[in-house]
Amino acid sequence: MSFQDPHHIRGTRRSKQMNAQGLTAFFRQIHERHPLDKITFVCIGTDRSTGDALGPLTGSGLVLYGVPNVIGTLSSPCDAHNLESAIAEIPADHTVVAVDACLGHPGSVGSYLLSDEPLLPARSVGRMLPAVGHYSVAAVVNVNGPRPYSTLQMTSLYHVMSMASQIASAAAEGFGLSGAEAEARFKLWPLA
């Protein structure tokens, strides 16, 4: 894979491009290896950019499904300003699943890059942030171009919300949190 995105995944030879159906299997495999109470989701992004809102939207959805350890929601985003302090507070015995938006080739828009390696956030916009996650999900929200920051700003909110919803519901299903009660709470999304 030769994705050029603002949130590279370290070691892309081990990442897989998947559609929404592959997400549930990915989260189910993580659940088979790690108990949910020892997993922290780090949902990277800001609510001030439509393309980069994928992380906070996903985090809010995960909270509504009952995921116990989530960093990065609409009410409390995890972005470049607080990422390092947020990950420093994660207990050492927790497994981290990083979630972020990225840009890619036209044919990859709407797909997900799944990896058992960390994300490298904000590389294409000139930031040098630490790698995040034992596992990672990068959602390809738009096409990469000469001005990635502008592209993220102009990305369809509907598209980003749909992808965030797919990630949250796949995680809930993969971790066994689906059910009538969880679905009822999720109907409040994305307002949590």
Side-chain angles (χ1 to χ4, degrees):
M1 264 181 254
S2 61
F3 288 92
Q4 298 175 356
D5 60 51
H7 310 302
H8 296 283
I9 296 176
R10 183 180 286 173
T12 54
R13 64 180 163 64
R14 291 176 50 186
S15 67
K16 298 175 189 160
Q17 181 177 344
M18 297 280 181
N19 59 18
Q21 288 77 28
L23 285 169
T24 302
F26 178 71
F27 289 122
R28 195 171 286 130
Q29 288 175 350
I30 295 170
H31 182 52
E32 289 170 359
R33 298 176 198 155
H34 310 281
L36 183 57
D37 64 337
K38 295 291 186 182
I39 293 176
T40 297
F41 281 84
V42 177
C43 301
I44 304 163
T46 179
D47 62 342
R48 296 172 187 257
S49 166
T50 56
D52 210 25
L54 179 113
L57 286 165
T58 302
S60 290
L62 292 170
V63 168
L64 286 172
Y65 274 115
V67 174
N69 304 301
V70 178
I71 295 171
T73 62
L74 284 172
S75 62
S76 183
C78 179
D79 58 20
H81 301 292
N82 64 353
L83 177 64
E84 291 185 64
S85 62
I87 59 177
E89 294 179 18
I90 298 171
D93 64 337
H94 276 220
T95 299
V96 176
V97 179
V99 178
D100 204 355
C102 71
L103 303 174
H105 298 295
S108 66
V109 174
S111 64
Y112 304 90
L113 301 174
L114 310 176
S115 179
D116 61 350
E117 295 185 346
L119 286 170
L120 300 173
R123 293 293 189 216
S124 76
V125 292
R127 301 294 299 254
M128 297 301 286
L129 297 173
V132 182
H134 298 95
Y135 300 94
S136 54
V137 177
V140 185
V141 298
N142 208 337
V143 177
N144 193 20
R147 298 186 318 182
Y149 183 78
S150 294
T151 301
L152 284 173
Q153 293 284 355
M154 307 278 259
T155 298
S156 163
L157 180 60
Y158 175 79
H159 180 68
V160 172
M161 288 178 68
S162 296
M163 293 187 80
S165 175
Q166 289 173 344
I167 296 168
S169 63
E173 186 175 340
F175 284 98
L177 298 174
S178 297
E181 183 181 327
E183 294 296 329
R185 281 194 315 269
F186 189 72
K187 291 200 185 297
L188 299 172
W189 187 87
L191 301 176

